[in-house]
Amino acid sequence: MQHDDLIWQVIRNNHCSYMCKITTGTFCRNLYNVTGICNRSSCPLANSRYATIRDHDGVFYLYMKTIERAHKPNELWERVKLPRNYEKAIEIIDKHMEFWPKLLVHKIKQRLTKMTQCRIRMRKLELKVREKIMTVPRKEKKREARREEKAEKAAVLDKSIETELLERLKKGVYGDIYNYPVEAYNNILEMEGLQPSATEEEEEQEAEIEYVEGYDGLEEEEDMEDFDGLMNDESFMVNDEDGMQEDNEEMDRLEQHIPKKLRALLESKSQKTDGDYAGKKPNRKGRVITEVEEEGDPKQKALLLD
């Protein structure tokens, strides 16, 4: 037969493998202990009639031990599953432990309350996002880094990516809008022997600026040289004084329509010719023909005398 007092004296005074003595007190590491404290009322070995609550993967079970099953170690504990509802679990405990000592029933209810609070707290922590600390072996990390470097060198990624982008640019895959470094683009153009096309802003600026070449004076000088050859032609010599007067009148009338630049050019040309032929007396005077064209009016010819 089992004698509880004798078992307790041996455990307490001699040796117990579940006993844990620290500065704050003496505790019990047995899984069936209700309070976790090493004393006579809480010891699962020294009590032939004992009960406790255990957790199996989030499910609570009520374990009960009686003296009638002491001779069967494989059937020593009777297990009853408790529902997840706290009130219903309390009702089941009261039903199965109706004639048990009140102190033990009170300790079991306290254990059920504490375990229910722990389960609620665990659910909240699972739902909350938290950092997971994991160990990474250094040797494997270094080995993978070395392999990556060797693979990059063998693949020549920079060159392959550059050639692929150049092919896409030539095909016009990206359209007209680009967002890449200008220096790199110019280097590529120099390598390909191309020239960058002007942007829209530069085209607008170039359209605003206009350059006009000053060939007007040269054309007039060429015309005057042609007229010098015509001055010696007899077909343009006039001896009639009436004709000279009519030409002078018509010249005065048309001088109003001659531009100032052309008039100054004619005056300078006449001064040069006078200086060249100062020592010579021309026998006859020549005539110069200028054409003035106005919008809506026919061509009018006037004879101007130097």
Side-chain angles (χ1 to χ4, degrees):
M1 291 295 294
Q2 182 177 357
H3 198 280
D4 296 341
D5 292 334
L6 182 61
I7 294 171
W8 173 248
Q9 288 178 5
V10 172
I11 291 172
R12 186 67 178 176
N13 297 326
N14 294 329
H15 174 72
C16 179
S17 60
Y18 298 106
M19 187 184 297
C20 181
K21 291 183 179 181
I22 57 176
T23 56
T24 56
T26 305
F27 297 96
C28 181
R29 291 178 292 188
N30 196 321
L31 298 175
Y32 291 93
N33 196 315
V34 178
T35 59
I37 299 171
C38 183
N39 54 19
R40 176 72 177 79
S41 61
S42 300
C43 183
L45 302 176
N47 291 282
S48 59
R49 193 179 187 186
Y50 196 76
T52 185
I53 294 176
R54 291 189 63 186
D55 182 11
H56 292 281
D57 298 330
V59 181
F60 298 155
Y61 291 91
L62 175 63
Y63 281 77
M64 294 175 290
K65 182 176 74 168
T66 57
I67 191 64
E68 290 82 9
R69 294 190 299 274
H71 65 286
K72 293 182 178 180
N74 58 345
E75 296 179 1
L76 185 63
W77 294 92
E78 180 185 358
R79 190 174 73 173
V80 179
K81 185 179 179 180
L82 298 177
R84 300 183 71 87
N85 192 351
Y86 178 75
E87 295 178 356
K88 292 181 179 180
I90 293 293
E91 291 178 359
I92 291 173
I93 291 171
D94 292 335
K95 180 181 177 181
H96 285 82
M97 302 183 69
E98 184 177 359
F99 303 104
W100 288 60
K102 300 297 180 181
L103 180 61
L104 184 59
V105 174
H106 178 67
K107 290 179 180 179
I108 289 170
K109 289 181 180 179
Q110 283 183 337
R111 184 175 176 83
L112 177 65
T113 304
K114 190 69 175 177
M115 292 174 69
T116 305
Q117 292 175 354
C118 290
R119 185 167 60 182
I120 293 169
R121 195 178 298 112
M122 288 171 64
R123 289 178 184 174
K124 289 182 179 179
L125 291 174
E126 287 178 358
L127 295 173
K128 186 178 180 181
V129 178
R130 299 178 65 187
E131 294 181 357
K132 187 176 180 180
I133 300 173
M134 297 179 66
T135 59
V136 179
R138 294 183 179 180
K139 290 184 178 179
E140 292 182 3
K141 196 172 181 180
K142 290 180 180 179
R143 184 167 61 250
E144 293 296 332
R146 287 195 299 269
R147 288 178 180 176
E148 288 179 1
E149 290 179 0
K150 291 179 181 178
E152 288 180 358
K153 290 178 181 179
V156 193
L157 291 176
D158 296 337
K159 192 68 178 177
S160 60
I161 291 169
E162 186 177 352
T163 53
E164 182 67 22
L165 289 175
L166 282 172
E167 291 178 359
R168 292 185 181 182
L169 286 173
K170 290 177 181 178
K171 293 179 181 178
V173 176
Y174 301 111
D176 297 331
I177 299 174
Y178 302 106
N179 187 11
Y180 44 80
V182 180
E183 295 180 358
Y185 178 62
N186 292 331
N187 293 333
I188 292 168
L189 290 175
E190 289 177 359
M191 292 169 60
E192 295 292 330
L194 302 175
Q195 293 181 356
S197 59
T199 59
E200 295 180 357
E201 296 180 357
E202 292 178 355
E203 290 178 357
E204 292 179 358
Q205 292 178 359
E206 289 179 359
E208 292 177 358
I209 300 170
E210 294 181 357
Y211 298 95
V212 180
E213 298 179 356
Y215 291 131
D216 296 336
L218 297 175
E219 290 178 357
E220 293 296 335
E221 290 177 1
E222 290 176 358
D223 294 339
M224 292 301 293
E225 290 176 359
D226 295 337
F227 292 150
D228 289 337
L230 293 173
M231 286 173 66
N232 297 325
D233 194 356
E234 294 180 357
S235 61
F236 293 99
M237 302 301 294
V238 178
N239 295 324
D240 192 359
E241 293 180 359
D242 295 334
M244 293 290 291
Q245 291 178 359
E246 291 176 0
D247 293 337
N248 291 330
E249 290 176 0
E250 191 172 359
M251 180 188 65
D252 295 336
R253 182 172 59 80
L254 293 175
E255 276 183 356
Q256 299 175 0
H257 300 282
I258 298 173
K260 294 181 179 181
K261 292 182 180 181
L262 183 57
R263 195 180 302 168
L265 185 61
L266 291 172
E267 290 178 358
S268 62
K269 185 66 177 178
S270 62
Q271 289 177 3
K272 288 179 182 179
T273 52
D274 292 341
D276 294 336
Y277 298 100
K280 300 179 183 179
K281 276 189 178 182
N283 296 326
R284 294 176 184 178
K285 294 182 179 181
R287 292 184 297 172
V288 179
I289 300 172
T290 60
E291 295 182 0
V292 179
E293 184 178 353
E294 296 181 359
E295 295 181 359
D297 294 336
K299 293 183 180 180
Q300 297 179 357
K301 294 182 179 180
L303 299 175
L304 302 179
L305 300 175
D306 292 339

